[in-house]
């Protein structure tokens, strides 16, 4: 593996994993996806905390607080805050006006098929693609990358495949941790930095990223025509004549996407491109009307994928059982952690609502460190850059590919978005193999410790919103114990494989 450090960032196949901040509000209209979660398939055990008295498993008594292992006396205000995190029934994904197919079962089934489709991808380009189990194939191979390659269903729809289980290796190495997709249907602005504002336009990112699928919208549309035409047309209507080479030049899997001159510093394409806007080749040679037809096919692919992804949820856990009357569902340590979560831990300021996310962006003062041996995502402007990208995107929810605009995009990008990243949900979070948008923290114990000390003192853009919390090791252990109670059953088994 090369010893080169990188400063730019990519969203990997669907780019999640932050933590709570003090609760300072984000700019009006700034929201983010819920769903930085994982299920029992992840490799970190639920009992990562090892401070004095921390729980080793969710069902064992945890740290002894100042008054011993006593249950906390919750105030009415604390109980009300806890109940706001656990309604009688966790709400389904809200209506998505940008996608009129969002809740159509046929679209969801088609989206599930596409989620596991490797045929849209171009060449693997990194020397680390050596065919070992942590990779998807060998350098030069085509047709190896699907959404499921970096969002592994058995691992809570995040990456526990890649060596180090931090950032992902697909066609090349990404620079941010691939997010879990559990409860992503609760989101409006998505990806770590908000550069996508709908599930329907998100697939353009991985398809056209040289380090993810390394492909193009023209090639992917042609593959839909060749292999999925009947299913597509049953939902979305007639496809354009993508087999007419006089209008739509055919591109091979070997030629689609980026043909890099070198991969030593690959973050954006440094060679010729094919099948994407700005390629000065096949796509740019299409008429404006035919460019729109190609883009619309991939928009509809995104709408089908979104219909499927909206079905992926963590579900309720022992915390919900406890609040709904099953007193024995939580240990005393876990109950103390719940009290800290809505109290001195200041977690609920950002991790609010039934999915424990305010859907906004916060700067938590994270100073990136090396992950996957050689990568450092330094000087990342976060939502300051991501939201600006979303506002300028012709595919956004204000454009003609959207089925409706609910005002999810902000009118401007506030200064507080510099170095800010979205608040992940905390349901199904404790068994993730790594944490934060960089994947640099290896356990929930490390995450809680990071927030307890108020983040890092320097080395990040923007202004850190955190402050030192003054939590003891025992209290931090109680918080870790509480977070374990948010593990739910995950999606129905039928959703974990292609139809």
């Amino acid at each position: 593996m090369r010893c080169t450090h990188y400063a730019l960032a990519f969203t990997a196949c669907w780019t999640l994993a932050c933590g709570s901040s003090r609760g300072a509000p984000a700019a009006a209209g700034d929201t983010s996806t819920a769903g930085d979660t994982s299920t029992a398939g992840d490799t970190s055990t639920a009992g990562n905390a090892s401070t004095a008295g921390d729980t080793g498993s969710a069902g064992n008594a945890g740290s002894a607080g100042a008054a011993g292992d006593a249950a906390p006396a919750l105030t009415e205000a604390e109980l009300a805050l806890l109940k706001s995190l656990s309604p009688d029934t966790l709400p389904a994904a809200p209506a998505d006006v940008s996608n009129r197919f969002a809740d159509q079962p046929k679209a969801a089934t088609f989206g599930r098929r596409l989620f596991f489709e490797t045929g849209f991808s171009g060449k693997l380009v990194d020397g680390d693609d050596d065919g070992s189990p942590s990779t998807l194939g060998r350098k030069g191979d085509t047709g190896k990358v699907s959404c499921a390659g970096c969002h592994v269903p058995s691992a809570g729809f995040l990456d526990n495949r890649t060596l180090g289980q931090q950032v992902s290796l697909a066609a090349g190495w990404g620079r941010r941790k691939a997010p879990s997709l559990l409860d992503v249907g609760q989101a409006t602005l998505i990806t770590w930095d908000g550069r996508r504002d709908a599930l329907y336009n998100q697939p353009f990112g991985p398809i056209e990223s040289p380090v993810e699928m390394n492909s193009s919208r023209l090639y992917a549309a042609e593959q839909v025509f060749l292999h999925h035409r009947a299913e597509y047309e049953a939902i979305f209507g007639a496809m354009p004549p993508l087999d007419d080479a006089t209008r739509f030049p055919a591109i091979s899997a070997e030629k689609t996407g980026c043909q890099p001159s070198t991969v030593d510093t690959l973050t954006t394409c440094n060679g010729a491109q094919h099948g994407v806007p700005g390629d000065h080749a096949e796509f740019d040679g299409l008429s404006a009307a035919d460019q729109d037809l190609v883009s619309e096919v991939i928009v509809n692919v995104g709408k089908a994928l979104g219909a499927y992804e909206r079905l992926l949820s963590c579900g309720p856990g022992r915390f919900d059982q406890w609040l709904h009357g099953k007193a024995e569902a939580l240990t005393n340590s876990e109950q103390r952690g719940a009290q800290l979560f809505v109290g001195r831990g200041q977690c609920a300021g950002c991790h609010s609502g039934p999915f424990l996310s305010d859907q906004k962006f916060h700067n938590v003062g994270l100073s990136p460190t090396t992950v996957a041996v050689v990568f450092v995502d330094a000087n990342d402007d976060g939502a300051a850059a991501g939201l600006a990208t979303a506002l300028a995107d012709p595919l956004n929810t204000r454009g003609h590919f959207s089925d409706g605009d609910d005002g999810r995009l902000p009118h401007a990008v506030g200064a507080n978005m510099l170095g800010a990243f979205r608040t992940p949900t905390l349901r199904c979070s404790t068994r993730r193999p790594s944490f934060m948008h960089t994947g640099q923290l290896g356990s929930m114990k490390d995450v809680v410790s990071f927030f307890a000390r108020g983040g890092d003192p320097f080395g990040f853009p923007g202004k850190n919103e955190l402050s030192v919390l003054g939590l003891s090791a025992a209290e931090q252990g109680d918080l870790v114990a509480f977070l374990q109670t948010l593990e739910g059953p995950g999606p129905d088994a039928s959703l974990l494989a292609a139809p």
Side-chain angles (χ1 to χ4, degrees), residues 282-366:
E282 296 87 355
F283 190 88
D284 285 356
L286 300 176
S287 69
D290 283 350
Q291 289 178 357
D292 267 6
L293 289 175
V294 168
S295 294
E296 185 175 22
V297 170
I298 305 307
V299 163
N300 287 336
V301 164
K303 289 179 178 179
L305 284 166
Y308 165 60
E309 291 162 349
R310 285 163 58 83
L311 302 178
L312 307 177
S313 185
C314 171
R318 290 187 296 113
F319 166 65
D320 305 279
Q321 296 174 14
W322 175 63
L323 273 182
H324 299 157
K326 189 176 180 181
E328 68 276 16
L330 299 194
T331 67
N332 290 347
S333 171
E334 292 163 347
Q335 293 179 44
R336 293 194 300 270
Q339 183 181 47
L340 285 164
F341 190 88
V342 297
R344 289 195 304 111
Q346 301 181 12
C347 308
C350 295
H351 291 282
S352 56
F355 298 92
L356 290 86
S357 172
D358 63 2
Q359 308 287 8
K360 297 179 181 178
F361 301 85
H362 296 279
N363 186 323
V364 298
L366 179 70

Side-chain angles (χ1 to χ4, degrees), residues 39 153 156-157 182 308 311-315 428 488-496:
T39 57
F157 290 86
L182 295 182
Y308 165 60
L311 302 178
L312 307 177
S313 185
C314 171
C428 283
D492 188 273
S494 64
L495 297 174
L496 303 184

Side-chain angles (χ1 to χ4, degrees), residues 398-419:
R398 294 176 182 171
H400 68 277
F401 292 109
S402 175
D403 294 322
D405 178 13
D406 55 10
R408 66 186 65 179
L409 276 170
H411 293 291
V413 181
N416 60 329
M417 292 298 97
L418 181 61

Side-chain angles (χ1 to χ4, degrees), residues 13 43 129 132-137 144-152 155 158-173 178 433:
C13 286
T43 57
D129 288 309
S132 62
S134 62
T135 71
L136 297 174
K144 295 295 185 179
V145 184
S146 69
C147 301
C150 296
H151 300 280
V152 182
L158 50 70
D159 186 2
N160 71 341
R161 165 190 60 83
T162 301
L163 187 66
Q165 301 180 85
Q166 295 170 317
V167 294
S168 292
L169 173 62
W173 284 98

Side-chain angles (χ1 to χ4, degrees), residues 18-349:
C18 192
S20 62
S21 69
R22 289 187 65 185
D30 289 345
T31 56
S32 75
T33 56
D36 188 10
T37 56
S38 116
T39 57
D42 292 348
T43 57
S44 295
T45 60
N48 275 332
S50 60
T51 53
D54 289 352
T55 59
S57 64
N60 296 329
S63 60
D69 190 30
L74 295 171
T75 67
E76 289 186 9
E78 290 168 340
L79 186 58
L81 278 172
L82 288 169
K83 287 183 176 179
S84 72
L85 307 179
S86 179
D88 291 339
T89 302
L90 290 178
D96 182 358
V97 301
S98 74
N99 179 6
R100 61 191 176 93
F101 304 95
D103 297 310
Q104 288 193 12
K106 285 185 179 180
T109 299
F110 185 40
R112 178 155 62 103
R113 190 181 314 282
L114 297 173
F115 190 84
F116 294 88
E117 174 63 78
T118 60
F120 298 155
S121 61
K123 290 191 298 187
L124 305 182
V125 297
D126 198 286
D128 288 336
D129 288 309
D130 58 6
S132 62
S134 62
T135 71
L136 297 174
R138 295 183 178 276
K139 182 179 179 180
D141 286 351
T142 63
K144 295 295 185 179
V145 184
S146 69
C147 301
C150 296
H151 300 280
V152 182
S154 62
F157 290 86
L158 50 70
D159 186 2
N160 71 341
R161 165 190 60 83
T162 301
L163 187 66
Q165 301 180 85
Q166 295 170 317
V167 294
S168 292
L169 173 62
W173 284 98
R175 300 299 180 269
R176 295 181 186 157
K177 177 182 170 65
S180 168
L181 299 182
L182 295 182
D183 295 311
V184 72
Q186 302 296 326
T188 50
L189 303 186
I190 53 180
T191 71
W192 274 110
D193 61 3
R195 69 180 54 202
R196 297 293 179 181
D197 67 333
L199 291 175
Y200 79 73
N201 59 42
Q202 184 277 333
F204 287 84
I207 286 172
E208 298 184 342
S209 165
V211 298
E212 297 185 48
M213 289 189 178
N214 189 29
S215 189
S216 66
R217 67 187 69 182
L218 179 57
Y219 177 75
E222 290 173 345
Q223 295 307 299
V224 173
F225 186 90
L226 288 172
H227 302 292
H228 302 285
R229 181 179 177 183
E231 196 168 5
Y232 177 101
E233 292 187 338
I235 300 165
F236 302 109
M239 294 193 73
L242 291 165
D243 58 345
D244 182 353
T246 63
R247 288 176 60 186
F248 302 98
I251 304 180
S252 68
E254 290 75 18
K255 191 175 182 181
T256 188
C258 180
Q259 308 296 310
S261 58
T262 174
V263 297
D264 287 342
T265 58
L266 186 63
T267 53
T268 59
C269 185
N270 57 18
Q273 289 185 287
H274 295 275
V276 299
D279 63 0
H280 304 294
E282 296 87 355
F283 190 88
D284 285 356
L286 300 176
S287 69
D290 283 350
Q291 289 178 357
D292 267 6
L293 289 175
V294 168
S295 294
E296 185 175 22
V297 170
I298 305 307
V299 163
N300 287 336
V301 164
K303 289 179 178 179
L305 284 166
Y308 165 60
E309 291 162 349
R310 285 163 58 83
L311 302 178
L312 307 177
S313 185
C314 171
R318 290 187 296 113
F319 166 65
D320 305 279
Q321 296 174 14
W322 175 63
L323 273 182
H324 299 157
K326 189 176 180 181
E328 68 276 16
L330 299 194
T331 67
N332 290 347
S333 171
E334 292 163 347
Q335 293 179 44
R336 293 194 300 270
Q339 183 181 47
L340 285 164
F341 190 88
V342 297
R344 289 195 304 111
Q346 301 181 12
C347 308

